Amino acid sequence: MLCIRGVVLPEREERVFWIDGEVLRAGDPPGGLAGRDAETIVDGGWLLPGLVDVHTHPGALEPGVPFDEELLRRQLGEHRDAGVLAVRTPGTAQRMPAWVEKDPELPRVTSAGRWLATPGRFFPGAGRDVSEADLVQAAVEEAAASSGWCKVIGDWAADEPAVPLALLTSVVEAVHAAGGKVAVHCQTAEGTRNAVLAGADSLEHGMHLDPALLDRMAAQGTAFVPTLSAFGANVDEMRAREPGVRRDLWLAGWDTMLGNVRAAHEAGVTVLAGTDSFPCGTVAGELTWLQRAGLSAEAALGAASWTARSWLGLPGLVDGAPADLVAYDTDPTLDPAALDHPSRIVLRGRVVR
């Protein structure tokens, strides 16, 4: 019988748990911590219900490359070994294989089926190419075939039109009516505005977000996944390019992103951590960017842990929850470097390390 004792975040309370199969039980185990069958695998330190990356695309190194199931397994393993015990994949080249959900050694995956791209709005053939006339039905199909999510490419080139608001609204209404949720890729002012006004469940990237829309986002529950680390890695390259419409619009959008993330958080919008980059298992780097944007260390950590889990419908460290947890020797809100060095990882009741 495996036992754990430590300070639970964000509550900052010392608690004791024991593992009952794949389930976490609160309190002393039968017979107590010193019982004959009890083995304490964590004795002190700081406990999280695992990290979460809500925007990651394992299975291919870039859009347009054939989906590789062995690469998918390796990249999910990279997440797990970094303490990322839950991920959301908002769009992939093919639907998530059934074996992913059944593999006890891999993180819990919330998938959104294949990227849905209307003509001219994505890498050709990288996802599911559909006409605007077929987009609503395709969105319902992908949500039904995945974890209840679908992902729409809401815009693409910075100087070209986004998916029309009326069409995107119809998509959201149809998917919601079927019990699903809609993530929208948006990097232009029009695309981001349309995603918010359509009632999307999440804005992926949200470049050029109009701060006047933040109260509406908060009221309707639209989350903001800015993927700052993916953009930040490209800033120097973009600045070095010759001036042009697309380069200049990209930089103008980036220059407002950190302020928009801070304003969104202050307005009550759920801001979440996603990487949209490789290697996998690097969501801790996104927390650094969220703190640069103005989130507190605890809010940034929540964006990649308990807040993200709650948003995905996953419980934290409570009695009866899945036995998923990560332990650290020091408080990761005070020592962010600790996130790169978990002292213990437990997934589905099994000790990973």
Side-chain angles (χ1 to χ4, degrees):
M1 185 180 303
L2 302 180
C3 305
I4 297 112
R5 182 181 65 83
V7 177
V8 173
L9 292 172
E11 294 85 355
R12 297 185 176 277
E13 297 176 354
E14 184 175 275
R15 296 179 186 170
V16 174
F17 301 97
W18 57 283
I19 296 174
D20 181 11
E22 294 188 10
V23 177
L24 200 63
R25 299 297 181 190
D28 290 343
L33 290 174
R36 183 176 59 186
D37 297 327
E39 177 188 356
T40 299
I41 58 172
V42 178
D43 190 9
W46 301 81
L47 307 178
L48 290 178
L51 297 176
V52 183
D53 190 332
V54 300
H55 190 124
T56 180
H57 302 291
L61 292 177
E62 59 185 47
V65 174
F67 193 80
D68 184 333
E69 294 195 12
E70 284 306 309
L71 178 61
L72 171 66
R73 186 185 298 277
R74 290 199 301 274
Q75 290 179 327
L76 288 175
E78 290 173 0
H79 278 302
R80 176 205 60 214
D81 292 345
V84 179
L85 304 187
V87 301
R88 185 186 61 142
T89 60
T92 46
Q94 73 177 47
R95 293 171 183 166
M96 199 60 52
W99 57 259
V100 171
E101 184 177 347
K102 300 175 183 178
D103 193 324
E105 297 185 356
L106 297 180
R108 301 179 190 276
V109 177
T110 298
S111 64
R114 292 172 288 179
W115 288 289
L116 291 168
T118 48
R121 296 189 180 103
F122 202 41
F123 303 102
R128 180 176 175 180
D129 295 322
V130 298
S131 67
E132 289 192 356
D134 293 333
L135 181 59
V136 173
Q137 182 60 36
V140 172
E141 290 170 357
E142 292 301 319
S146 65
S147 301
W149 281 85
C150 69
K151 167 75 170 292
V152 177
I153 305 301
D155 58 25
W156 196 235
D159 54 349
E160 295 183 3
V163 172
L165 174 58
L167 175 56
L168 196 56
T169 300
S170 295
V171 167
V172 173
E173 290 175 347
V175 173
H176 283 180
K181 296 183 178 181
V182 181
V184 178
H185 165 103
C186 45
Q187 285 185 233
T188 70
E190 181 189 16
T192 301
R193 176 184 64 85
N194 288 357
V196 175
L197 297 182
D201 296 281
S202 68
L203 266 62
E204 310 301 317
H205 315 304
M207 189 175 265
H208 295 282
L209 174 61
D210 182 353
L213 295 170
L214 295 177
D215 287 343
R216 178 164 182 156
M217 288 178 66
Q220 67 191 20
T222 298
F224 186 15
V225 187
T227 63
L228 293 172
S229 51
F231 285 112
N234 294 318
V235 173
D236 290 342
E237 176 191 345
M238 293 298 289
R239 294 197 191 282
R241 291 185 183 181
E242 288 294 322
V245 172
R246 295 184 179 181
R247 175 257 194 196
D248 295 348
L249 284 171
W250 192 99
L251 289 173
W254 168 253
D255 287 343
T256 64
M257 282 199 75
L258 295 185
N260 282 344
V261 169
R262 180 177 63 253
H265 176 68
E266 292 172 349
V269 174
T270 298
V271 176
L272 299 171
T275 58
D276 193 28
S277 60
F278 300 104
C280 292
T282 57
V283 75
E286 182 70 8
L287 306 192
T288 301
W289 279 103
L290 292 176
Q291 287 185 256
R292 289 184 191 177
L295 272 66
S296 68
E298 186 162 311
L301 183 55
S305 184
W306 57 85
T307 302
R309 287 183 67 92
S310 175
W311 186 72
L312 291 173
L314 298 171
L317 296 179
V318 295
D319 185 70
D324 300 344
L325 65 88
V326 181
Y328 302 93
D329 290 333
T330 57
D331 182 350
T333 65
L334 301 178
D335 177 21
L339 294 174
D340 294 324
H341 305 285
S343 58
R344 184 71 76 189
I345 301 173
V346 179
L347 174 62
R348 305 176 199 265
R350 299 157 59 97
V351 176
V352 173
R353 59 175 290 184

